[in-house]
């Protein structure tokens, strides 16, 4: 029987993979057999080095996902280089923290732009490419605990990640008939740049840790396996699902 998690020769477009969870997911997909097209606003030097060390294929595309402008170029360059796209991981995301009473319009628009608007229009462009190719495809969005909970001091982030959960279900509904699955991983509290201010705050960091049944913060490696699963033949009949990768946070 063939390995149901094998992704040999699949092409995965991963946004925001210079560091953090995106890097963890890109490396896991590469280990499962994927060629990676990495879309980054900064030079992904560490990821390039790790891909090289593993003998993995990595196409380095630079683009700012704050707007939709770069989307046609991202698709064209990936298809020109690899011939096709099989998987999209919408990982790039930002967060702004301020009390809801003081929250600025700028912090609202910036976060919604990267975390929600670009996620939709890049998914739309990749889904159109899947239709041109035939044979379906996989989209994995990156949701959050704040797709389920309200959080504090991050109104635009909560709105964006709650939106990502809804959008995941909508795209799953519309595109299932084309053999496209659309799912999301919802990471819990993971130690990355995104959560550095929380980790640096001794009181908040302890309060968070005390509520994680697994007894530790998550790591970029923790999201690798779940993403490989959702992109693999093993998950062909899984769509519209938001998979919490949270050490038990939500069950508490
Ligand atoms: P991170 O800040 O290290 O990574 C964010 C990534 O997005 C980086 O690669 C960054 O370069 C990229 N990015 C930001 N703005 C961009 C832009 N304008 N154009 C292109 N790329 C851009 O943090 P992370 O925790 O690795 O975040 C990855 C994803 O996981 C985000 O969507 C985040 O919301 C989500 N998430 C993180 C946690 C956590 O606890 N760390 C929890 C739930 C969800």
């Amino acid at each position: 029987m063939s390995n149901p998690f094998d992704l040999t020769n699949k092409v995965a477009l991963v946004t925001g993979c210079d560091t953090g969870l995106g890097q963890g997911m890109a490396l896991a997909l590469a280990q499962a057999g994927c060629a990676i097209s990495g879309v980054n606003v900064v030079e992904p030097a560490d990821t390039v080095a790790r891909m090289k060390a593993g003998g993995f294929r990595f196409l380095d595309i630079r683009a700012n996902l704050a707007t939709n402008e770069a989307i046609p170029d991202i698709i064209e360059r990936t298809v020109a280089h690899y011939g096709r796209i099989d998987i999209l991981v919408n990982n790039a995301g930002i967060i702004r923290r301020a009390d809801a009473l003081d929250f600025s319009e700028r912090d609202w628009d910036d976060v919604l732009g990267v975390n929600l608007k670009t996620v939709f229009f890049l998914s739309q462009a990749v889904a159109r490419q899947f239709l041109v190719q035939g044979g379906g495809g996989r989209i994995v969005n990156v949701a959050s605990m704040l797709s389920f909970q309200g959080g504090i001091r991050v109104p635009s982030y909560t709105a964006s990640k709650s939106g990502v959960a809804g959008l995941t279900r909508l795209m799953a509904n519309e595109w299932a008939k084309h053999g496209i699955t659309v799912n999301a991983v919802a990471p819990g509290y993971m130690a990355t740049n995104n959560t550095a201010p929380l980790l640096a705050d001794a009181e908040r960091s302890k309060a968070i840790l005390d509520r994680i049944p697994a007894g530790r913060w998550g790591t970029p490696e923790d999201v690798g396996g779940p993403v490989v699963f959702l992109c693999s033949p093993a998950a062909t009949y899984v769509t519209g699902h938001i998979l919490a990768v949270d050490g038990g946070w939500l069950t508490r």
Side-chain angles (χ1 to χ4, degrees), residues 15 21-22 25 89-93 115 119 139-144 147 157 160-161 164-165 168 183-187 223 227 242:
T15 66
L21 305 186
M25 292 188 280
V89 179
N90 278 308
N91 167 76
N115 292 15
V119 166
I139 297 176
V140 178
N141 295 320
V142 178
S144 162
S147 303
Y157 188 80
S160 72
K161 294 299 185 179
V164 162
T168 299
N183 293 287
V185 287
V223 284
V227 162
I242 318 288

Side-chain angles (χ1 to χ4, degrees), residues 116-132:
L116 194 59
K117 187 174 175 184
T118 301
V119 166
F120 175 68
F121 285 102
L122 184 56
S123 300
Q124 180 193 62
V126 169
R128 287 175 177 165
Q129 176 63 27
F130 289 161
L131 293 195
V132 169

Side-chain angles (χ1 to χ4, degrees), residues 54-137:
F56 306 132
R57 287 162 293 169
F58 184 80
L59 174 66
D60 179 4
I61 296 180
R62 303 288 166 78
N64 187 344
L65 299 174
T67 71
N68 296 332
E69 246 169 80
I71 290 175
D73 183 58
I74 292 167
I75 306 290
E76 269 170 42
R77 289 186 56 197
T78 302
V79 173
H81 189 77
Y82 290 126
R84 55 186 296 112
I85 304 173
D86 300 293
I87 293 163
L88 168 65
V89 179
N90 278 308
N91 167 76
I94 57 173
I95 192 165
R96 299 278 167 77
R97 293 186 173 87
D99 292 344
L101 285 175
D102 303 325
F103 209 77
S104 71
E105 190 173 348
R106 177 84 195 267
D107 284 342
W108 180 270
D109 289 342
D110 287 355
V111 171
L112 269 292
V114 179
N115 292 15
L116 194 59
K117 187 174 175 184
T118 301
V119 166
F120 175 68
F121 285 102
L122 184 56
S123 300
Q124 180 193 62
V126 169
R128 287 175 177 165
Q129 176 63 27
F130 289 161
L131 293 195
V132 169
Q133 295 169 184

Side-chain angles (χ1 to χ4, degrees), residues 1-5:
M1 191 184 146
S2 60
N3 176 357
F5 305 105

